[in-house]
Amino acid sequence: MSVPALSQPNAGDTTAWHAEHWAIGNDIEVLPRIFEDHTNIAIMRRELDAPLLASVAAQCHVDRAWQWSWLGSPDAEMQADLLRRLPAPAEARPLVDDIQTLAEAMAYLFEADMIGIRLRLLDSAMCPRFHCDNLPVRLVTTYHGPGSEWLPEAALNRAGLGIPSADKPEIVADAAGIQHLQVGDLGLLKGSGWVGNEPRGLVHRSPALDSGQKRLLMTIDPA
């Protein structure tokens, strides 16, 4: 992956950040825009090809939810462990290859020797309340089912974040402004643990799932 030269925005220009704090594109070169001071989400739109969709479907045709996690280098040992743990290993190669590519890209982009990965088949919303993560950055992608939801600043009341209480306002200031990641999209979410981004971590939540609906979610954190 070739990382383009990044612009140097004015860190004090909060007006620009409130007006447009996201970067969305169809090419991988949109992802390094997460380094821009005013950007707290970078999204690469992508469609999964037929072999990958078939591989994903095979892992979802199970009776129970499952998960796999890894903390280490994105290497052959990681691939072997994932193949051992997936419920349908015979059909797993396209999914494993995609995860390997994304893990290597995250390690390269953030100059990380280790990455943390979680791959989970969910049958209920994991984090249904809007929140921001207390970590620097996370890659989120949904292989099956509805994608993560996030709020632009114009649709958000940050005073409502945190532990719910009767005197707190609603987090969502404009329900029509709720944004959705689609299947296959790569979302880089900047959290409140990113130095200089403490008061403005990306606010997001897990989507609601209908009865019987499943979601295959992967997150990657540079470690």
Side-chain angles (χ1 to χ4, degrees), residues 1-2 13 27 61 78 86 94 106 125 127 134 145 162 164 172 189 201:
M1 179 180 69
S2 175
D13 187 1
D27 190 274
H61 288 165
M78 183 198 80
L86 286 173
M106 281 291 285
C127 300
N134 186 26
V172 181
L189 283 54

Side-chain angles (χ1 to χ4, degrees), residues 201-215:
L202 193 279
V203 175
H204 62 286
R205 71 178 178 189
S206 300
L209 298 181
D210 296 332
S211 177
Q213 191 174 28
K214 297 177 182 179
R215 180 183 185 217

Side-chain angles (χ1 to χ4, degrees), residues 65-135:
W66 56 265
Q67 69 173 358
W68 169 80
S69 61
W70 177 264
L71 179 61
S73 300
D75 53 18
E77 185 178 352
M78 183 198 80
Q79 290 190 55
D81 187 70
L82 179 54
L83 278 169
R84 285 194 299 268
R85 298 281 300 278
L86 286 173
E91 294 84 19
R93 178 48 63 183
L95 178 59
V96 171
D97 288 346
D98 192 68
I99 292 172
Q100 177 73 23
T101 297
L102 297 182
E104 290 178 350
M106 281 291 285
Y108 175 83
L109 186 60
F110 293 99
E111 299 180 346
D113 294 328
M114 298 171 56
I115 45 91
I117 304 179
R118 285 188 178 182
L119 180 67
R120 287 167 278 194
L121 182 65
L122 305 167
D123 53 16
S124 62
M126 185 175 58
C127 300
R129 179 176 166 82
F130 276 112
H131 65 283
C132 59
D133 294 329
N134 186 26
L135 47 73

Side-chain angles (χ1 to χ4, degrees), residues 101-211:
T101 297
L102 297 182
E104 290 178 350
M106 281 291 285
Y108 175 83
L109 186 60
F110 293 99
E111 299 180 346
D113 294 328
M114 298 171 56
I115 45 91
I117 304 179
R118 285 188 178 182
L119 180 67
R120 287 167 278 194
L121 182 65
L122 305 167
D123 53 16
S124 62
M126 185 175 58
C127 300
R129 179 176 166 82
F130 276 112
H131 65 283
C132 59
D133 294 329
N134 186 26
L135 47 73
V137 68
R138 169 169 287 166
L139 177 75
V140 175
T141 190
T142 300
Y143 286 107
H144 177 83
S148 299
E149 300 176 352
W150 61 278
L151 284 172
E153 284 302 305
L156 165 64
N157 187 345
R158 285 188 177 269
L161 293 172
I163 299 173
S165 64
D167 59 343
K168 281 191 174 183
E170 290 290 332
I171 298 171
V172 181
D174 179 8
I178 297 174
Q179 304 296 304
H180 307 262
L181 296 179
Q182 303 300 317
V183 167
D185 288 352
L186 306 178
L188 274 180
L189 283 54
K190 188 184 289 182
S192 59
W194 185 291
V195 175
N197 197 62
E198 293 84 354
R200 57 193 190 195
L202 193 279
V203 175
H204 62 286
R205 71 178 178 189
S206 300
L209 298 181
D210 296 332
S211 177

Side-chain angles (χ1 to χ4, degrees), residues 8-61:
Q8 299 296 322
N10 182 355
D13 187 1
T14 56
T15 301
W17 174 74
H18 281 287
E20 186 174 337
H21 58 91
W22 59 87
I24 302 176
N26 298 319
D27 190 274
I28 199 168
E29 292 188 351
V30 72
L31 295 181
R33 290 192 58 191
I34 198 67
F35 290 103
E36 296 176 2
D37 288 343
H38 64 283
T39 299
N40 66 0
I41 183 169
I43 300 169
M44 176 185 162
R45 301 289 193 196
R46 67 169 188 159
E47 293 186 8
L48 306 184
D49 61 27
L52 180 51
L53 286 172
S55 181
V56 167
Q59 314 312 317
C60 296
H61 288 165

